[in-house]
Amino acid sequence: MSCCTPPVFVLILLLLSSIVVCSDAWALVPTTTPRRWARRTRTTRGHPGVSPDRRRVFVDMVGSHRDAEELVETTETIYTPEEQQRIAEIHAEASAENGTLRDAVQQALPTLPPGLILKLGRSTSHSHERVQQVALELEHIMDARVQQAKETLKSLLDAGEIRKLDSLIGQAQRDGKLDVPFFNVIQANLRDAMATAEVAQEGEANRAQVLQHIYTRCQEEMEKAIPPGVALLNKVLRTEQASIRRNLYDHYLTPQKNVVRTPDGREVKLQGEKPVLVQLDTFVSAIADAVKQIRTVEVAGATDRATAANLVESCRTIAKEARVVIGEKYGVPSDELQAFELGLQPVFRPDSPESPYVKGET
C-alpha cells in the first residue's frame, strides 16, 4: 500500500496554507554540495512532487507536471459574481486603509479560495483592469516569497555540518520561513538533483541525498508546530511501512505503560499509565479536515477526480488501520472505539451529496 508517499504530505501542507507560484527554472538554488556533508544524512523513499514548468501557474497540488500543464489550459478565467466581489473588496480595503494594493492582497491572501487564486495566476494580462492589478500584485508577492525560500534553502545547503543544519532549520521554523514556497523550492531542486544523477565520492553525500535529508528534517520540524492530531496524520501519511504505522498508532493513540529504565537496563513499572499523546477526537478531526480540504481543492479544479479519490482513500486506509489498533487496546465494545467510528462515519459515509466531505468547504 502506497498511501504515504511524500506528495500526499505536501498536498496536506499546501491545503493548510496558501498556494504559491513556483517555476523550476527560477526556483533552483545554484550551489554545490559542501564536502563536509557526511553520508549519514537521512533520506526518504522517493521525493516530493514536481513543480510546473516555466509558466505562470500556481503550484499544482498533485505533484504531476502533466496535470499542471493541463490545468493551465482548462482553468477558466471567467470570474463568478462572488469572486468579482472579493476582488472589489480587496481594492476597497486598499483605498479605505490608504495603503497599497499589494498590502491589501498580502493581507487577503490566506483567506482567498484556491479556485480564485488559480484564476488570478492566469490573469496578469486580463482585460479587466481590477483583476489584472490584483493578479500582478499577487505575482509580485509570490516572487518575493520564492526568493526568500531560495535564500533559506541556500543557507541550509551551506551549513556543511549536521548539528549546524538542525539549528538553522529550527531557527527557520521559528521565523516562519518553512512555508509553502520553501517546500516548493525544495521540490524543484530535488527534481533537478535527481535528474542530473550526481555521483558522490566515498564518504560523502550527493546533492540529492542532502536535499532529501533537509526535506525530511523540515517536515519533522513543521510537525512540532502544528496540532498533535495533524502532526500524527502527516507522520503516518509519509510512512510507507505498515508495521511502522501500526507502531505510531499504538504509541500516540493509546495509553502507554508507566515504566522507568534503571542504569543497568532493568525496567521498573510504576503505578498508572502515561497520558495519551494524541487524543482520539483530535485525530478524527485531523482526518476529517484533510478529507474536507482535498474535496475543496478538487471542486476548485486544482486536481482531478481520480487523484482526489486516491488521496481520500489514503485517509480512509489510515482510519481503518488506526481503528484496528484502538480496538485491540481498548476493546471492541469500548466507548473509545465507538466514538472513533461515529466521528469518522460522516467523513467516509456522508449522508448527503451536499456534505462538505463531498462538496468541500464553501
Side-chain angles (χ1 to χ4, degrees):
M1 194 260 308
S2 182
C3 75
C4 308
T5 55
V8 180
F9 171 81
V10 175
L11 172 68
I12 300 300
L13 179 65
L14 290 170
L15 294 172
L16 295 174
S17 310
S18 58
I19 310 173
V20 61
V21 174
C22 189
S23 165
D24 285 3
W26 50 272
L28 298 180
V29 176
T31 183
T32 57
T33 304
R35 290 190 174 275
R36 286 176 293 169
W37 276 104
R39 187 178 287 278
R40 58 195 176 96
T41 54
R42 288 175 289 171
T43 61
T44 55
R45 269 184 87 180
H47 62 92
V50 177
S51 302
D53 202 355
R54 189 171 184 77
R55 305 179 69 175
R56 287 192 180 104
V57 185
F58 282 62
V59 95
D60 63 294
M61 301 261 186
V62 192
S64 167
H65 178 68
R66 182 178 303 172
D67 289 343
E69 286 192 336
E70 181 180 351
L71 179 62
V72 178
E73 303 299 333
T74 59
T75 302
E76 296 288 344
T77 53
I78 299 174
Y79 291 82
T80 66
E82 292 78 11
E83 292 170 336
Q84 295 176 34
Q85 177 64 28
R86 190 70 186 92
I87 292 172
E89 289 173 354
I90 293 174
H91 277 271
E93 289 167 6
S95 300
E97 298 294 333
N98 293 322
T100 65
L101 181 59
R102 187 170 304 179
D103 290 338
V105 174
Q106 177 78 58
Q107 185 175 359
L109 183 57
T111 65
L112 295 181
L116 177 55
I117 298 177
L118 287 166
K119 291 179 182 180
L120 288 170
R122 302 181 62 237
S123 300
T124 53
S125 300
H126 200 277
S127 58
H128 195 291
E129 184 178 2
R130 283 187 172 182
V131 173
Q132 182 185 112
Q133 289 174 347
V134 172
L136 287 170
E137 295 300 339
L138 187 57
E139 184 180 57
H140 285 304
I141 292 170
M142 297 307 185
D143 286 350
R145 288 189 177 187
V146 172
Q147 183 58 40
Q148 175 182 278
K150 288 177 61 178
E151 294 170 358
T152 300
L153 179 56
K154 188 176 187 308
S155 70
L156 299 181
L157 286 170
D158 291 343
E161 197 273 324
I162 296 295
R163 290 184 179 179
K164 183 178 179 181
L165 173 67
D166 287 342
S167 175
L168 290 174
I169 289 176
Q171 187 61 51
Q173 167 61 20
R174 291 189 290 273
D175 293 341
K177 294 181 178 180
L178 300 188
D179 52 10
V180 177
F182 174 78
F183 278 97
N184 278 284
V185 168
I186 288 187
Q187 292 169 40
N189 280 268
L190 252 175
R191 178 184 179 225
D192 178 73
M194 298 189 77
T196 55
E198 173 191 345
V199 179
Q201 297 182 13
E202 184 65 27
E204 298 176 357
N206 62 26
R207 187 164 180 262
Q209 290 173 319
V210 173
L211 285 166
Q212 286 182 339
H213 173 75
I214 292 174
Y215 179 77
T216 302
R217 279 290 296 111
C218 289
Q219 284 185 346
E220 294 170 348
E221 201 65 32
M222 285 290 294
E223 288 167 4
K224 297 177 183 178
I226 57 180
V230 178
L232 176 58
L233 177 60
N234 288 336
K235 196 182 295 289
V236 294
L237 278 170
R238 62 184 177 84
T239 302
E240 290 220 15
Q241 292 82 4
S243 59
I244 298 179
R245 292 199 301 273
R246 180 185 176 87
N247 291 339
L248 290 173
Y249 302 134
D250 182 72
H251 178 71
Y252 285 97
L253 296 177
T254 65
Q256 303 297 304
K257 294 180 180 179
N258 198 0
V259 177
V260 295
R261 190 178 296 274
T262 61
D264 59 359
R266 292 185 299 108
E267 290 186 350
V268 178
K269 294 183 179 180
L270 304 179
Q271 292 184 347
E273 294 180 328
K274 294 181 179 179
V276 176
L277 296 176
V278 177
Q279 297 297 322
L280 294 181
D281 58 345
T282 63
F283 190 55
V284 168
S285 297
I287 295 175
D289 289 343
V291 171
K292 197 183 302 180
Q293 291 157 353
I294 291 168
R295 293 305 187 190
T296 300
V297 172
E298 178 191 3
V299 172
T303 186
D304 60 86
R305 185 174 183 179
T307 300
N310 288 336
L311 293 173
V312 171
E313 188 59 31
S314 297
C315 294
R316 187 197 304 272
T317 298
I318 285 171
K320 289 163 63 176
E321 292 175 343
R323 177 187 177 278
V324 172
V325 174
I326 294 168
E328 291 175 353
K329 185 67 176 184
Y330 290 102
V332 174
S334 65
D335 294 339
E336 288 82 0
L337 181 59
Q338 291 183 25
F340 185 78
E341 293 174 338
L342 289 174
L344 289 176
Q345 184 170 341
V347 178
F348 299 113
R349 293 183 180 178
D351 55 5
S352 167
E354 300 302 318
S355 167
Y357 304 110
V358 178
K359 302 285 288 185
E361 294 179 298
T362 57

